[in-house]
């Protein structure tokens, strides 16, 4: 089986065309990053690039498309709509597509309280094994063919203030995942766990306190060996840590639509094991 994995596509609206009162103070602060920091320019073509990556599913005859969070710049409805439109028919079918939220998709308390991600992508929160949900819709499970299962986790939390972007999975989801992994319906399947925050950096270390996944060690302990993989985003670098006896494969998808760094993983699974992946650049 083949899986396309991308992340951190950051669909961005024209913030200066919107009433400031609609943005709120958190997005006012983010305007500095959009302008002086150059984020708006780097993601000006994000919708087009995401659409191109979605079309790569047909080119590679991939079985499933995975987007590990940060669909939006700052969690506006218009940005979520743009991401859904760019994904096209993939966004309608949980058999073909898995999407989870990132920290930018719950950037404000309002976006979280209104369930803005679920209002646009709730159709992809379906689980084949709903009895293992531990926190809301998470973990959700896709049983794909006879060789693989994809598990979606939630690590994105509303930050107290911009600049804090750490992630937490939490005991409820970790406990549910632990029980799920013992279910005989997963026997013989490779298990691809999708989470937004990175359990390890490119250098193989834990990320910084204010940016990293707080319960990364607990997650990795549940997933030893090449049967397992963790697919993540958040760190805008694309890398692969091969599995060891005690640790899963770890795929960081980088920022798939950032100008000059566009790309995604094509991950191969066979006979219940994750074989590895190749980095690709979208052709469109």
């Amino acid at each position: 089986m083949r899986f396309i994995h991308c992340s951190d596509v950051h669909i961005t609206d024209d913030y200066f065309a919107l009433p400031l009162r609609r943005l709120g103070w958190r997005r006012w602060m983010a305007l500095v990053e959009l302008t002086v920091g150059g984020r708006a320019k780097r993601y000006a073509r994000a919708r087009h690039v995401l659409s191109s990556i979605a079309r790569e599913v047909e080119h590679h005859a991939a079985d499933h498309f995975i987007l590990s969070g940060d669909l939006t710049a700052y969690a506006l409805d218009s940005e979520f709509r743009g991401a859904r439109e760019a994904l096209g028919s993939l966004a309608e079918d949980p058999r073909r597509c898995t999407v989870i939220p990132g920290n930018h998709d719950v950037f404000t308390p309002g976006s979280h309280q209104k369930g803005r991600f679920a209002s646009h992508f709730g159709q992809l929160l379906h689980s084949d094994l709903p009895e293992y949900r531990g926190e809301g819709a998470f973990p959700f499970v896709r049983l794909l063919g006879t060789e693989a299962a994809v598990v979606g986790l939630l690590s994105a939390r509303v930050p107290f203030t911009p600049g804090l972007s750490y992630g937490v999975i939490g005991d409820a989801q970790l406990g549910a995942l632990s029980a799920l992994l013992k279910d005989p319906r997963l026997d013989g399947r490779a298990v691809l766990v999708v989470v937004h925050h990175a359990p390890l950096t490119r250098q193989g270390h834990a990320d910084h306190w204010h940016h990293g996944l707080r319960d990364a060690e607990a997650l990795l302990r549940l997933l030893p060996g090449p049967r397992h993989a963790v697919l993540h985003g958040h760190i805008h670098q694309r890398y692969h840590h091969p599995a060891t006896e005690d640790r899963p494969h770890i795929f960081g998808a980088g920022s798939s639509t950032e100008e000059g760094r566009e790309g995604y993983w094509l991950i191969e699974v066979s006979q219940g094991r994750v074989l590895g992946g190749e980095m690709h650049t979208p052709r469109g």
Side-chain angles (χ1 to χ4, degrees), residues 63-81:
D63 298 281
H64 202 77
F65 180 94
I66 295 170
L67 203 171
S68 53
D70 278 1
L71 288 77
T72 67
Y74 299 112
L76 287 175
D77 269 313
S78 55
E79 294 171 340
F80 281 112
R81 284 195 298 270

Side-chain angles (χ1 to χ4, degrees), residues 1-4 55-64 266:
M1 300 186 73
R2 290 179 171 179
F3 295 81
I4 283 180
R55 290 195 297 272
E56 298 287 283
V57 170
E58 301 299 330
H59 174 69
H60 293 293
D63 298 281
H64 202 77
L266 183 65

Side-chain angles (χ1 to χ4, degrees), residues 23 60 62 64 88 104 121 131 165 169 190 192 254 268 281:
L23 298 181
H60 293 293
H64 202 77
H104 278 255
F121 290 94
E131 62 269 33
S165 56
I169 299 169
L192 283 68
E268 296 277 352
T281 300

Side-chain angles (χ1 to χ4, degrees), residues 87-215:
L87 289 174
S89 63
L90 285 175
E92 308 301 324
D93 189 354
R95 310 310 310 166
R96 300 174 64 210
C97 184
T98 292
V99 179
I100 61 166
N103 59 294
H104 278 255
D105 304 321
V106 292
F107 191 74
T108 65
S111 63
H112 173 66
Q113 292 162 6
K114 294 175 182 177
R116 196 162 290 161
F117 173 85
S119 70
H120 293 276
F121 290 94
Q123 68 280 6
L124 297 181
L125 297 178
H126 164 81
S127 180
D128 291 334
L129 303 177
E131 62 269 33
Y132 290 107
R133 287 173 174 153
E135 180 185 350
F138 300 91
F140 61 77
V141 186
R142 310 262 191 274
L143 301 178
L144 301 174
T146 60
E147 293 189 84
V150 174
V151 178
L153 295 177
L154 174 68
S155 63
R157 309 294 171 175
V158 180
F160 293 113
T161 182
L164 292 178
S165 56
Y166 60 83
V168 178
I169 299 169
D171 291 342
Q173 288 184 75
L174 289 171
L177 176 62
S178 178
L180 166 66
L181 292 168
K182 299 179 180 71
D183 192 297
R185 288 170 287 186
L186 268 66
D187 289 351
R189 295 176 182 269
V191 180
L192 283 68
V193 174
V194 187
V195 66
H196 180 62
H197 290 77
L200 293 175
T201 66
R202 187 173 192 166
Q203 292 74 31
H205 307 304
D207 198 0
H208 299 296
W209 179 88
H210 67 280
H211 194 259
L213 181 62
R214 295 283 177 86
D215 37 16

